[in-house]
Amino acid sequence: MASSFLKPNPSKTELLFISHRSDNSPNPVGPKSSVQLSSSINAVPTTAAQIVPKDLAKNLGVLFDEKLTLKPNVSTIIRSCNFKLVSLRRIGNKLSKHQKTQLVHTLIQSRLDYCNGLLTGLNKDDIARLQKVQNSAVRFIYNRRERRGVTQLRKQLHFLPIEARIKFKICAMAHKCVYGTTPQYLSDLVMRRPPKPNTPRQNEDATQLAFDHSTNLPSTKAAFKALAPLHWNSLPRQLRELDCEESFKSRLKTHLFDESYANVPSMTKSKKQKKRTTGIKRSGSTLSRAGGAGI
């Protein structure tokens, strides 16, 4: 801090000790102790600041805990989205479907997508909790309070599931790194895979990224350096070769949408079948009544 001519502000500075998830040892400083941070300007010492370590620290709106599980951040997202959904349901009967969809995109989906690239290391339980919030938003749009499946409704709205939205963010960032539209410190995290020996030139794929095998820790496997090659190489080659960012994002969403809802039947076909069956039943009932009246 002295080299940058900065002075710590105790009211705005948060201190967090990060340890491994399997490490159950207590905080090395202690929960109620303080750390003395002093700064100097032009080799002249200034007033020292006493900063108490915390269990949670907020950075750019994201809550980090000492184990980097991000469970407190997930709980905060769910609490915020549920509060907004309760407020929206009070005026839901006065809104059209299009207006409800716009409000969900603005208030709910934007909150779920904010810094969701950090949620790649979450377990399935936390992902399911976030998915329930999106399902509740879909029920709000269609005025459905009962707990029925909303996968078909989500497909009709073209909503990507939570896992697909996280993968979309990682692949979009990897595309920027591959084609040099990101700062240097991000582009240095990924590198192209070197060509294999004795491989024909027409079969070489220069768009693939090299995997990082430097560590096997679960916490570091969720880093962008390790996940970007995994998600990027799983995309089709025609998609990876798109250098235009807008075209890539559009086709990436289509690819993830088809991948997520591959086994889900379309909503329009089922509706048409139901209408046909109800029409046949109604016509049959009218014919039977007419026949009975003629007899």
Side-chain angles (χ1 to χ4, degrees):
M1 297 183 70
S3 59
S4 302
F5 299 98
L6 297 177
K7 179 181 179 181
N9 188 348
S11 61
K12 297 182 179 180
T13 305
E14 294 179 338
L15 180 62
L16 179 68
F17 287 96
I18 300 175
S19 60
H20 194 263
R21 296 181 182 180
S22 60
D23 186 11
N24 297 323
S25 59
N27 195 325
V29 181
K32 296 183 179 180
S33 59
S34 61
V35 177
Q36 183 175 358
L37 298 179
S38 60
S39 62
S40 59
I41 301 177
N42 296 331
V44 178
T46 59
T47 306
Q50 299 291 334
I51 300 177
V52 179
K54 295 184 178 181
D55 297 331
L56 300 174
K58 182 178 290 188
N59 186 19
L60 297 177
V62 180
L63 281 176
F64 293 92
D65 56 323
E66 56 184 6
K67 302 295 183 180
L68 291 182
T69 60
L70 295 178
K71 287 183 178 293
N73 185 59
V74 172
S75 300
T76 303
I77 294 174
I78 295 174
R79 193 183 308 113
S80 174
C81 292
N82 287 336
F83 176 78
K84 294 175 182 177
L85 282 174
V86 170
S87 302
L88 288 176
R89 287 193 181 98
R90 296 175 182 175
I91 59 173
N93 55 354
K94 300 180 182 179
L95 301 174
S96 63
K97 177 185 173 183
H98 179 68
Q99 291 173 338
K100 291 180 181 179
T101 306
Q102 287 184 332
L103 288 174
V104 167
H105 277 296
T106 304
L107 300 177
I108 308 300
Q109 296 278 51
S110 61
R111 188 68 179 91
L112 293 175
D113 292 340
Y114 180 72
C115 292
N116 60 347
L118 299 173
L119 306 179
T120 51
L122 291 181
N123 52 22
K124 294 183 179 180
D125 295 336
D126 292 329
I127 295 293
R129 293 171 60 196
L130 293 173
Q131 188 61 57
K132 288 180 180 179
V133 175
Q134 191 186 49
N135 295 343
S136 299
V138 173
R139 292 189 182 94
F140 161 72
I141 294 175
Y142 285 96
N143 292 325
R144 292 197 176 185
R145 293 183 178 271
E146 63 273 9
R147 293 188 176 182
R148 293 182 181 178
V150 295
T151 306
Q152 290 183 343
L153 300 178
R154 196 171 63 236
K155 180 181 180 180
Q156 190 176 6
L157 291 171
H158 290 270
F159 282 1
L160 289 178
I162 298 299
E163 288 185 341
R165 302 179 84 88
I166 296 174
K167 185 177 180 180
F168 178 88
K169 183 65 70 67
I170 297 297
C171 292
M173 186 62 67
H175 179 270
K176 294 180 180 180
C177 294
V178 169
Y179 290 97
T181 57
T182 55
Q184 189 66 28
Y185 69 92
L186 286 178
S187 300
D188 293 340
L189 295 177
V190 297
M191 58 182 301
R192 295 179 183 268
R193 178 183 294 179
K196 296 181 180 180
N198 300 327
T199 302
R201 183 171 301 224
Q202 62 271 15
N203 295 333
E204 290 183 1
D205 190 359
T207 60
Q208 288 191 347
L209 299 178
F211 290 98
D212 183 21
H213 301 284
S214 60
T215 179
N216 293 323
L217 296 176
S219 57
T220 54
K221 283 184 178 180
F224 177 77
K225 185 178 181 180
L227 277 179
L230 180 65
H231 292 324
W232 176 261
N233 294 342
S234 64
L235 299 177
R237 182 174 181 177
Q238 296 81 5
L239 188 58
R240 296 195 304 267
E241 290 177 350
L242 292 175
D243 55 351
C244 180
E245 183 178 353
E246 297 299 328
S247 300
F248 173 78
K249 287 183 177 181
S250 178
R251 296 191 183 184
L252 175 61
K253 182 180 179 181
T254 303
H255 172 73
L256 295 177
F257 183 84
D258 296 338
E259 189 178 49
S260 302
Y261 299 105
N263 300 324
V264 180
S266 61
M267 191 70 177
T268 55
K269 292 183 180 180
S270 60
K271 278 188 173 182
K272 289 180 180 179
Q273 291 176 358
K274 287 182 179 179
K275 287 182 180 180
R276 289 177 181 176
T277 54
T278 52
I280 293 173
K281 289 180 180 179
R282 289 177 181 176
S283 61
S285 61
T286 53
L287 287 175
S288 61
R289 290 177 183 176
I295 293 172

